[in-house]
Amino acid sequence: MLRASRRLLRPGGRTAFFTIHPAPGLSSRRRRRAHRDGPVAVASHLSQRDLLERGGFVDIAETDRTVEFATVARAWIEQRDRHQDQLVEALGEAEFEQRQREARVQLRAIDDGLLRRSLLVAVCPND
Amino acid sequence: MVTREEHETRQRFRDRYGEDRPDALVQIERAVIGADWGADGYTTRRQADQLADALRLAPSVWLLDIGSGRGWPGLYLAASTGCRVVLSDVPLEGLRAAVARAATDRFAGGAVAAVAASARALPYRAGTFDAVVHADVLC
Ligand SMILES: C[S@@+](CC[C@H](N)C(=O)[O-])C[C@H]1O[C@@H](n2cnc3c(N)ncnc32)[C@H](O)[C@@H]1O
């Protein structure tokens, strides 16, 4: 995806994105759990910043947004529970249960420090 | 060529985006995200506004949204900043919902185009865009 952004941006063009990734420095066992329990974007061991740097981007800024990630993940679960009857009617019991189960597993992985969500901003160089 | 991963992505999200969205889902999204553009991730409206600032979006800017789902955040960004946007994703269903919304009176944004393509195979020449955004896209 970064390769696509790099190609399609004009010199001086900007990219900004939110991405979910394993926390840095996890043991290989915890890293595997991060991949299993979360929608983790890249399999690479490199950080998003390193990937952007290797891709030739400049002025890279990375901000950890995991606190909001946990808040929003929790809010999705709570709100779906609150509207359970309507959702079960619309989606079916099995689909509702599966979405909630996956969301809870993921929230646990966030709370356990396995998953993070970051905002990255970078610029395509001018030359 | 379509990879197995892209095929799975298409299957998975086709079902999700094809839903005629029940009212409850719209209410839930308003409560969680603070907007109702059919978000399928964790980007709140405030965070989308931060993306607009970081990308310096303005009416003359061409923005590409990769993996835009039903148009979040790209379509919203076009509505809120007046920029021009190309929405792109693998499944058609989300793009259809986005284009339908862009055609309504409720939408007061800049020009909108949609393209069904994987990030790897976007049919544009190098250097086409001023800004590229994506949110929680897994590729
Ligand atoms: C979690 S959803 C996020 C959708 C939207 N950006 C949002 O925030 O609501 C991830 C999206 O990435 C798309 N996606 C996955 N692989 C892709 C690829 N190779 N190229 C383009 N989009 C892709 C999926 O089809 C899906 O719509």
Side-chain angles (χ1 to χ4, degrees):
Chain A
M1 188 144 47
L2 296 183
R3 207 170 300 144
S5 304
R6 179 75 169 85
R7 183 178 81 78
L8 294 169
L9 276 174
R10 66 162 170 79
R14 305 172 72 82
T15 185
F17 59 91
F18 283 100
T19 185
I20 298 167
H21 56 94
L26 294 179
S27 67
S28 57
R29 195 174 54 83
R30 277 165 63 80
R31 205 182 150 81
R32 270 200 305 279
R33 196 184 134 205
H35 277 277
R36 193 192 60 205
D37 293 352
V40 169
V42 251
S44 166
H45 279 253
L46 292 174
S47 69
Q48 291 289 326
R49 171 186 284 278
D50 291 343
L51 289 168
L52 281 163
E53 237 162 53
R54 287 208 180 181
F57 285 93
V58 296
D59 293 342
I60 302 165
E62 179 174 13
T63 330
D64 179 27
R65 306 300 289 267
T66 308
V67 173
E68 290 155 279
F69 180 28
T71 304
V72 174
R74 201 165 273 120
W76 276 124
I77 294 170
E78 285 170 5
Q79 286 292 326
R80 283 197 292 254
D81 273 340
R82 186 169 300 174
H83 292 82
Q84 172 162 8
D85 292 346
Q86 289 147 284
L87 288 183
V88 165
E89 195 182 316
L91 308 173
E93 176 100 42
E95 175 69 19
F96 174 82
E97 291 297 338
Q98 189 186 330
R99 282 190 196 187
Q100 289 295 70
R101 199 165 40 241
E102 282 176 11
R104 289 203 173 90
V105 166
Q106 186 175 301
L107 179 58
R108 206 168 308 128
I110 302 168
D111 286 343
D112 288 351
L114 300 176
L115 288 177
R116 290 207 186 156
R117 187 171 187 262
S118 300
L119 169 63
L120 284 115
V121 181
V123 179
C124 192
N126 268 310
D127 42 318
Chain B
M1 204 192 73
V2 176
T3 63
R4 189 160 66 98
E5 210 175 292
E6 279 161 27
H7 183 70
E8 280 166 8
T9 299
R10 193 176 296 166
Q11 296 266 325
R12 168 149 185 243
F13 285 99
R14 190 179 53 199
D15 296 345
R16 208 168 255 227
Y17 295 147
E19 284 161 14
D20 196 13
R21 288 193 348 118
D23 199 44
L25 279 181
V26 176
Q27 283 178 39
I28 291 170
E29 187 186 341
R30 285 205 191 113
V32 177
I33 299 291
D36 65 351
W37 298 78
D40 186 36
Y42 301 88
T43 310
T44 62
R45 182 178 191 145
R46 213 179 121 253
Q47 292 179 341
D49 292 337
Q50 291 167 355
L51 291 171
D53 287 345
L55 294 168
R56 302 186 183 157
L57 298 182
S60 59
V61 169
W62 266 111
L63 170 68
L64 170 68
D65 184 358
I66 300 179
S68 56
R70 293 188 203 87
W72 182 256
L75 194 60
Y76 164 75
L77 292 172
S80 59
T81 71
C83 76
R84 296 174 280 192
V85 69
V86 172
L87 306 171
S88 69
D89 207 326
V90 178
L92 263 178
E93 287 72 10
L95 293 170
R96 272 204 201 106
V99 168
R101 170 122 186 203
T104 63
D105 309 343
R106 279 196 302 164
F107 184 76
V112 177
V115 49
S118 167
R120 306 183 297 124
L122 282 160
Y124 292 95
R125 270 196 317 241
T128 299
F129 293 94
D130 304 299
V132 175
V133 74
H134 42 97
D136 302 328
V137 175
L138 322 170
C139 68

